[in-house]
């Protein structure tokens, strides 16, 4: 019953309350602030983004409060009397035109500007043609919004509001502006010329602020491999811990906890990278801020690497459990030396303050007894193995190290920026042992 009722409980408003409580807990957590101000400054760019976002609101509100002329701005029209619909809507436009990346903000701002202008003009045409007739306006809104939605949105489940990351915001803002202007004019809040023109201009003012704040350094690029490099360091930390615990023949529960910690770390880090890339991937046929194919391939390759490390941990769990029941199930001397050499080959960023995502998840899981993951090897007899399991583990770990080295090199080649003019500096380089496994 718990599983069946949880979606209803969360959807009934408790989910919002829980998320608010998590935000409050992060505010009063010392770790949250250490990740901003202590090396290697994992969350410093996010902090800058939040400051810029808040400053944009502050600037707009200050203009509204301390600049009387700005409050009364209105584009003159033929309507009498003139109503002031400029103030206020620029705040809404600024809030919804801003996303978590520079590319996403620029592209969503363009979509909002185009959708707002087209929707406003469509509403003005409908009001002029129907001349206040309620039935005519209803038919006009239904037909125009349906046509734009059909032409601009994908089919099926992805057609929901905001689900599509390419053109969805254009049709969405078209329909919203079209309907709002018709509704307000029909209720008599102002003339069609006055409301249409000032609604468009006020939205464009908010969009302009969003564009300005997005390009103000420092910026967060969704096509930048910075977050992928941070995630790769967590991958290496989990991989190193797996080899150490396996060589120590530790209690299998330690490896089970490592599996849970690594999985939580990988999922949270990968989700952030994927979300940023999807945000930057809007309007992917635009001539500037184009999505990087190398970045997309890098994300896919990191998914493979993460699942490979988790598979290595699962195999280590089996080896440890077998060693507890069979004293002869051990690594031979050569395999031990090779695995120890792999540890020496890993080049991992120092985490003296334990501020990495892996360290935080590891600390959170201390004292917990996680459930053992399902393993296919549970249904396999040892006599069915062609290659000894310990040998397989050693070779598999060497393959993972080769893959890590390959990713370190390839991530340095990813280009980003308005026209792909930027690259990150040279990252860390794990070495590859010779003569044990073919390097690629």
């Amino acid at each position: 019953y718990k599983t069946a009722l949880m979606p209803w409980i969360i959807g009934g408003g408790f989910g919002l309350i829980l998320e608010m409580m998590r935000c409050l807990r992060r505010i009063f957590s010392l770790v949250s602030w250490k990740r901003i101000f202590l090396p290697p400054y994992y969350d410093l760019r996010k902090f800058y983004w939040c400051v810029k976002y808040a400053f944009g609101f502050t600037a707009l509100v200050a203009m509204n409060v301390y600049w009387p002329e700005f409050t009364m701005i209105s584009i003159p029209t033929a309507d009498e009397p003139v109503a002031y619909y400029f103030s206020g809507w620029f705040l809404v436009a600024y809030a919804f035109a801003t996303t978590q990346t520079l590319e996403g903000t620029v592209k969503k701002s363009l979509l909002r500007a185009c959708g707002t202008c087209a929707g406003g003009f469509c509403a003005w045409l409908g009001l002029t043609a129907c001349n206040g007739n309620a039935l005519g306006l209803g038919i006009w809104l239904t037909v125009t919004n349906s046509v734009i939605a059909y032409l601009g949105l994908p089919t099926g489940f992805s057609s929901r509001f905001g689900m599509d990351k390419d053109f969805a915001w254009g049709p969405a803002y078209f329909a919203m502006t079209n309907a709002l202007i018709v509704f307000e004019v029909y209720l008599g809040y102002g003339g069609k010329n006055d409301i249409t023109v000032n609604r468009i201009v006020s939205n464009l003012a908010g969009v302009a602020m969003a564009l300005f704040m997005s390009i103000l350094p420092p910026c967060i690029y969704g096509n930048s491999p910075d977050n992928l490099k941070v995630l790769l360091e967590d991958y290496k930390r989990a991989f190193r811990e797996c080899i150490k615990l396996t060589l120590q023949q530790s209690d299998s529960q330690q490896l089970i906890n490592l599996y849970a910690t690594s999985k939580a770390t990988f999922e949270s880090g990968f989700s952030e990278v994927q979300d940023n890339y999807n945000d930057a991937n809007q309007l992917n046929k635009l001539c500037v801020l184009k999505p990087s194919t190398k970045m997309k391939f890098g994300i896919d390759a990191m998914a493979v690497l993460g699942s490979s490390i988790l598979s290595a941990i699962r195999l280590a769990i089996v080896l440890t459990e077998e060693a507890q029941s069979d004293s002869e199930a051990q690594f031979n001397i050569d395999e031990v030396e090779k695995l120890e050499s792999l540890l020496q080959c890993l080049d991992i960023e120092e985490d003296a303050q334990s501020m990495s995502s892996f360290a935080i998840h590891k600390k959170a899981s201390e004292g917990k007894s996680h459930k053992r993951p399902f393993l296919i090897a549970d249904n396999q007899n040892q006599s069915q193995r062609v290659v000894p399991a310990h040998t397989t583990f050693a070779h598999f770990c060497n393959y993972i190290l080769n893959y890590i080295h390959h990713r370190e090199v390839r991530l340095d080649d990813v280009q980003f920026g308005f026209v792909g003019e930027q690259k990150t500096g040279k990252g860390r380089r794990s070495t590859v042992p010779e003569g044990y496994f073919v390097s690629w």
Side-chain angles (χ1 to χ4, degrees):
Y1 292 103
K2 181 180 179 181
T3 303
L5 290 175
M6 189 57 66
W8 295 93
I9 295 175
I10 298 298
F14 290 98
L16 178 60
I17 296 175
L18 290 175
E19 190 59 36
M20 292 173 61
M21 295 300 294
R22 293 191 189 101
C23 291
L24 289 174
R25 185 179 65 180
R26 286 195 291 268
I27 291 175
F28 294 104
S29 172
L30 187 60
V31 174
S32 299
W33 300 102
K34 285 183 176 181
R35 282 176 63 89
I36 297 174
F37 300 109
L38 292 180
Y41 312 107
Y42 288 113
D43 290 341
L44 185 59
R45 289 187 304 153
K46 294 181 184 178
F47 180 74
Y48 282 143
W49 181 93
C50 293
V51 171
K52 290 198 301 179
Y53 187 54
F55 181 79
F57 274 114
T58 303
L60 290 172
V61 172
M63 290 165 61
N64 195 44
V65 173
Y66 298 105
W67 186 7
E69 291 78 7
F70 181 79
T71 307
M72 307 300 289
I73 287 179
S74 179
I75 307 299
T77 65
D79 296 334
E80 294 292 343
V82 175
Y84 300 103
Y85 287 92
F86 191 84
S87 299
W89 274 100
F90 53 83
L91 291 172
V92 178
Y94 172 73
F96 286 99
T98 305
T99 68
Q100 69 264 33
T101 67
L102 182 146
E103 300 100 326
T105 299
V106 171
K107 295 175 181 179
K108 190 178 178 184
S109 295
L110 293 176
L111 288 171
R112 175 160 190 126
C114 293
T116 300
C117 292
F121 180 67
C122 181
W124 183 87
L125 286 179
L127 290 166
T128 302
C130 299
N131 196 25
N133 182 274
L135 179 60
L137 290 173
I139 295 174
W140 177 267
L141 289 176
T142 302
V143 173
T144 55
N145 290 342
S146 298
V147 170
I148 294 298
Y150 179 79
L151 295 177
L153 295 179
T155 58
F157 190 73
S158 298
S159 64
R160 296 192 308 162
F161 184 88
M163 289 292 290
D164 176 55
K165 286 293 186 179
D166 198 6
F167 290 101
W169 292 112
Y173 287 125
F174 174 93
M176 184 171 65
T177 306
N178 189 16
L180 284 174
I181 290 178
V182 169
F183 183 68
E184 290 186 359
V185 173
Y186 180 77
L187 292 180
Y189 292 150
K192 64 179 180 181
N193 299 307
D194 180 39
I195 290 181
T196 300
V197 173
N198 288 283
R199 174 62 54 79
I200 292 175
V201 175
S202 63
N203 274 272
L204 293 181
V207 168
M209 178 63 78
L211 288 171
F212 173 74
M213 297 307 300
S214 68
I215 63 177
L216 192 67
C219 306
I220 295 180
Y221 287 91
N223 278 314
S224 170
D226 284 330
N227 285 343
L228 269 183
K229 289 186 175 183
V230 172
L231 180 59
L232 182 58
E233 294 303 309
D234 282 329
Y235 278 15
K236 290 188 285 186
R237 294 184 181 99
F239 181 53
R240 177 178 61 185
E241 192 79 6
C242 172
I243 296 178
K244 285 183 176 180
L245 292 177
T246 307
L247 289 175
Q248 295 170 3
Q249 297 293 317
S250 304
D251 180 20
S252 60
Q253 187 59 48
Q254 289 184 272
L255 284 164
I256 293 173
N257 292 343
L258 174 63
Y259 177 84
T261 299
S262 302
K263 186 177 181 181
T265 303
F266 296 174
E267 287 179 347
S268 62
F270 187 84
S271 176
E272 180 178 359
V273 171
Q274 186 69 64
D275 287 345
N276 284 349
Y277 179 80
N278 288 341
D279 186 61
N281 200 31
Q282 301 179 71
L283 288 177
N284 50 47
K285 292 182 176 59
L286 198 66
C287 59
V288 294
L289 296 172
K290 295 181 69 67
S292 170
T293 54
K294 290 184 178 180
M295 182 64 179
K296 176 58 178 174
F297 179 80
I299 293 174
D300 295 339
M302 288 292 284
V304 174
L305 178 58
S307 62
S308 298
I309 295 175
L310 292 177
S311 297
I313 298 175
R314 287 195 293 265
L315 179 55
I317 294 173
V318 175
L319 297 181
T320 304
E321 291 175 344
E322 289 183 355
Q324 294 172 352
S325 59
D326 184 1
S327 59
E328 295 183 359
Q330 305 286 339
F331 290 105
N332 60 40
I333 297 178
D334 290 338
E335 291 166 348
V336 171
E337 292 179 352
K338 297 302 180 183
L339 288 173
E340 289 177 346
S341 70
L342 297 184
L343 293 175
Q344 299 297 324
C345 292
L346 283 170
D347 182 13
I348 305 178
E349 182 181 56
E350 292 297 328
D351 187 24
Q353 301 290 338
S354 298
M355 291 294 102
S356 67
S357 181
F358 177 77
I360 293 174
H361 280 92
K362 183 179 180 181
K363 184 177 181 180
S365 65
E366 289 179 355
K368 297 180 180 179
S369 181
H370 293 280
K371 185 179 179 181
R372 182 179 183 272
F374 172 77
L375 304 171
I376 298 178
D378 295 339
N379 301 324
Q380 186 182 45
N381 192 295
Q382 294 189 26
S383 61
Q384 296 176 310
R385 297 173 180 170
V386 178
V387 179
H390 291 77
T391 303
T392 301
F393 179 81
H395 281 77
F396 189 36
C397 287
N398 192 82
Y399 162 78
I400 291 176
L401 179 62
N402 275 259
Y403 207 103
I404 288 174
H405 172 76
H406 189 70
R407 288 292 91 223
E408 290 172 334
V409 174
R410 289 289 181 259
L411 287 179
D412 287 343
D413 295 333
V414 177
Q415 296 177 296
F416 58 96
F418 276 85
V419 289
E421 75 282 3
Q422 300 186 46
K423 293 178 70 174
T424 58
K426 182 179 179 181
R428 296 184 174 273
R429 288 289 187 274
S430 299
T431 56
V432 179
E434 298 180 358
Y436 180 53
F437 195 76
V438 179
S439 178
W440 59 282

